[in-house]
Amino acid sequence: MGIFNRNEDKNQGKPDFSNVQSGGSSTAAPPVTTDPVAGSAGGTYIVVKGDSLSKIAKREYGDANKWRMIYEANRDLIKDPDLIYPGQSLRIPQA
Amino acid sequence: MRQHSRTLMALLLTTALGTACSRPGASPAPGAPPAAESVRVTDVDLGRSLGADKRITDKTDSFKPNETVYVSVTTEGSASSATLKARWTYEGDQLVQESSQTIAPTGTSVTEFHVAKPDGWPKGSYKVEVFLNGNPVEAESFKVG
């Protein structure tokens, strides 16, 4: 009983980070796999709050107008190019 | 007898020269390990935004609660596979997030990690530790306030 109470006390007041969204990307190619996914040669990108396809295109290619490349590579995930969601993992094709 | 000795000498000389000359270009023995791959982390930066080259364009160690935090990791060297991991912690011991990327770098490569919290970061001290193939290589501290 004492142990459980102590653990509860210890966790009290600690912030909740369970909704933290994370992602990443690299200029390096991913390792070669035996079963590559079409269109994934440029890596993946995890969408965070505030992202749009043109923002991601600007970040990935330096050109916001290339958003359609990302859209085309992710047609199975993106129904409306104006609607992407935090946490979505998008394929980034090589420019 | 003299003819026989000359033939033997020539044979020994040819064998010795052949062995010496073949070493530099020799193929590794079957089962020998491949040439060593070498990748090292040369730079780690924190900031609010990234350029197309994945480098930080707005370096800082002080963030607002609603900002996305980026860490950019520069590596040198080549490998068929290397794993970079970013481990984010709050106030020393509370794990915020951990994520990794496996890459096949050649030469200079830049890899970024980012974290965001939709309802805002609690104020306080944070740290991001960077690992290469499981080994800690660098840590950067930052504040949210």
Side-chain angles (χ1 to χ4, degrees):
Chain A
M1 176 179 161
I3 291 172
F4 294 122
N5 285 343
R6 270 202 296 275
N7 282 342
E8 282 169 13
D9 289 346
K10 198 179 171 185
N11 290 330
Q12 259 182 357
K14 285 202 169 188
D16 175 18
F17 291 109
S18 61
N19 64 342
V20 168
Q21 296 155 357
S22 67
S25 55
S26 180
T27 60
V32 176
T33 60
T34 51
D35 185 21
V37 177
S40 68
T44 58
Y45 178 84
I46 311 292
V47 177
V48 296
K49 189 183 174 189
D51 274 343
S52 64
L53 288 182
S54 55
K55 258 188 176 179
I56 298 170
K58 172 77 175 166
R59 187 180 299 140
E60 295 294 323
Y61 306 126
D63 182 356
N65 293 322
K66 290 186 176 172
W67 64 268
R68 189 169 284 279
M69 284 178 62
I70 302 172
Y71 176 51
E72 294 297 338
N74 293 276
R75 287 296 288 266
D76 54 330
L77 299 171
I78 305 171
K79 304 302 170 206
D80 178 346
D82 290 326
L83 286 176
I84 56 174
Y85 302 98
Q88 270 186 315
S89 179
L90 303 182
R91 290 184 285 274
I92 306 296
Q94 278 187 336
Chain B
M1 182 68 187
R2 182 182 276 177
Q3 181 64 35
H4 184 72
S5 296
R6 274 189 196 151
T7 307
L8 190 62
M9 284 288 284
L11 189 65
L12 284 171
L13 194 61
T14 306
T15 306
L17 279 173
T19 305
C21 291
S22 67
R23 265 187 193 154
S27 301
E37 295 180 317
S38 169
V39 182
R40 63 195 175 95
V41 171
T42 55
D43 200 13
V44 174
D45 287 316
L46 271 174
R48 292 190 185 89
S49 56
L50 285 178
D53 58 0
K54 316 289 182 197
R55 294 182 193 276
I56 300 291
T57 51
D58 186 5
K59 289 182 189 180
T60 185
D61 60 358
S62 181
F63 296 84
K64 291 175 186 160
N66 62 344
E67 288 180 324
T68 298
V69 182
Y70 294 89
V71 62
S72 175
V73 182
T74 305
T75 53
E76 296 282 349
S78 303
S80 56
S81 179
T83 300
L84 283 168
K85 182 173 81 175
R87 185 172 190 272
W88 309 78
T89 51
Y90 172 73
E91 298 292 358
D93 61 346
Q94 187 176 357
L95 181 66
V96 172
Q97 185 62 265
E98 203 172 76
S99 58
S100 60
Q101 295 183 63
T102 302
I103 55 173
T106 52
T108 302
S109 301
V110 185
T111 301
E112 63 87 11
F113 297 88
H114 56 263
V115 287
K117 194 170 188 306
D119 55 351
W121 296 108
K123 292 178 181 179
S125 300
Y126 293 77
K127 186 169 73 171
V128 57
E129 295 168 277
V130 176
F131 297 78
L132 175 61
N133 295 327
N135 302 311
V137 287
E138 197 152 330
E140 293 282 336
S141 298
F142 61 98
K143 285 190 183 303
V144 173

